[in-house]
Amino acid sequence: MTKKEKVIKIMAYFKSEYRDADCTLAYQDPFELLVATQLAAQCTDARVNQVTPSLFAKFPDVKAFAEATQTEMEEAIKSTGFYHNKARNLIACAQMLLADFGGRVPSAMDELLSLPGVGRKTANLLLGDAFGQPAIVVDTHAKRITGRLGLTKNTDPTKIEMDLKKIVPPESGSDFCHQLVYHGRKLCIARGPKCALCGLTDICDYYKKTFATSKKQGAKK
């Protein structure tokens, strides 16, 4: 079975199990998603969603973020962790949006990557969810699950992204990545995946390797 054929089976399973999978960060516009995604680094989406309502009430637009002091921003986002760097990046990002992009979040990869605190994961999430463009978001779930399933042998997120772009239909990339997150939280957990409950064991490299090894060891006994 080719990787493209494998992806078709995976997508069909995901569609049946995670049809409503979507971005779990709460946002109203591209700028709010940009802020929420930066806050989500080393923090749960649930925690970010608890912080952002009061954050956006205090700083309601790009101009307000750009004019905030480091201390004000740190206090508002402190519970998300790594708040010194996050606050610095959020303020600098807003200032750059005003100076270079008319206060609007750009919709091109290279322009997004020029913003402080924005890497390919954040940029792809914005492209896919805020702007409806083809995008592949490689987070910890995508990295773990695509490796286990045998869709990639790479561990570098950018290389994984490029591998997936070759086999995942462009129009399905964003949904596919959200479904990977749901699958990673429900079954394909980092420690102790619930393989017995998963409908992908027949095409999963991790399952075949793990259980084939177990059977061989059992046979030797």
Side-chain angles (χ1 to χ4, degrees), residues 11-85:
M11 288 174 60
Y13 175 71
F14 281 175
K15 186 175 181 180
S16 68
E17 296 295 316
Y18 315 112
R19 179 182 298 274
D20 298 323
D22 202 354
C23 179
T24 51
L25 291 169
Y27 67 97
Q28 299 295 321
D29 55 48
F31 180 66
E32 288 193 1
L33 180 58
L34 171 61
V35 171
T37 307
Q38 292 202 40
L39 293 179
Q42 302 298 313
C43 181
T44 65
D45 289 0
R47 167 61 64 181
V48 173
N49 290 340
Q50 292 174 1
V51 170
T52 48
S54 60
L55 176 65
F56 294 134
K58 186 172 184 178
F59 307 106
D61 53 31
V62 177
K63 186 172 183 292
F65 269 78
E67 294 175 349
T69 67
Q70 179 77 14
T71 300
E72 289 174 334
M73 189 60 66
E74 286 183 1
E75 185 62 30
I77 66 171
K78 195 169 185 177
S79 65
T80 67
F82 299 92
Y83 56 93
H84 296 302
N85 286 336

Side-chain angles (χ1 to χ4, degrees), residues 5-221:
E5 292 171 334
K6 184 178 283 192
V7 162
I8 291 173
K9 292 198 67 173
I10 295 169
M11 288 174 60
Y13 175 71
F14 281 175
K15 186 175 181 180
S16 68
E17 296 295 316
Y18 315 112
R19 179 182 298 274
D20 298 323
D22 202 354
C23 179
T24 51
L25 291 169
Y27 67 97
Q28 299 295 321
D29 55 48
F31 180 66
E32 288 193 1
L33 180 58
L34 171 61
V35 171
T37 307
Q38 292 202 40
L39 293 179
Q42 302 298 313
C43 181
T44 65
D45 289 0
R47 167 61 64 181
V48 173
N49 290 340
Q50 292 174 1
V51 170
T52 48
S54 60
L55 176 65
F56 294 134
K58 186 172 184 178
F59 307 106
D61 53 31
V62 177
K63 186 172 183 292
F65 269 78
E67 294 175 349
T69 67
Q70 179 77 14
T71 300
E72 289 174 334
M73 189 60 66
E74 286 183 1
E75 185 62 30
I77 66 171
K78 195 169 185 177
S79 65
T80 67
F82 299 92
Y83 56 93
H84 296 302
N85 286 336
K86 290 180 181 179
R88 188 180 303 111
N89 284 333
L90 288 174
I91 294 170
C93 186
Q95 291 171 344
M96 188 171 181
L97 288 176
L98 287 175
D100 297 345
F101 300 104
R104 300 176 66 85
V105 178
S107 58
M109 173 64 81
D110 58 342
E111 293 177 337
L112 286 168
L113 292 176
S114 73
L115 298 172
V118 175
R120 292 193 68 87
K121 183 173 73 172
T122 295
N124 273 308
L125 185 65
L126 281 158
L127 290 177
D129 284 60
F131 300 112
Q133 298 181 26
I136 295 289
V137 178
V138 180
D139 64 356
T140 56
H141 296 289
K143 179 179 177 179
R144 177 176 72 255
I145 297 169
T146 55
R148 284 177 174 174
L149 288 171
L151 298 181
T152 179
K153 292 183 179 179
N154 286 305
T155 56
D156 177 76
T158 301
K159 291 181 179 179
I160 293 172
E161 178 190 335
M162 298 305 132
D163 286 344
L164 294 180
K165 281 185 175 180
K166 297 174 184 177
I167 56 177
V168 177
E171 68 278 7
S172 302
S174 186
D175 288 340
F176 181 71
C177 292
H178 288 315
Q179 289 163 346
L180 284 171
V181 172
Y182 276 56
H183 190 59
R185 290 174 177 168
K186 181 180 179 181
L187 297 178
C188 202
I189 302 165
R191 296 183 180 180
K194 302 175 182 178
C195 296
L197 302 176
C198 180
L200 296 174
T201 53
D202 61 324
I203 59 171
C204 178
D205 286 6
Y206 172 86
Y207 179 84
K208 292 176 181 178
K209 180 180 178 180
T210 302
F211 285 85
T213 301
S214 298
K215 289 179 179 178
K216 287 181 180 179
Q217 291 176 343
K220 289 179 180 180
K221 294 179 181 178

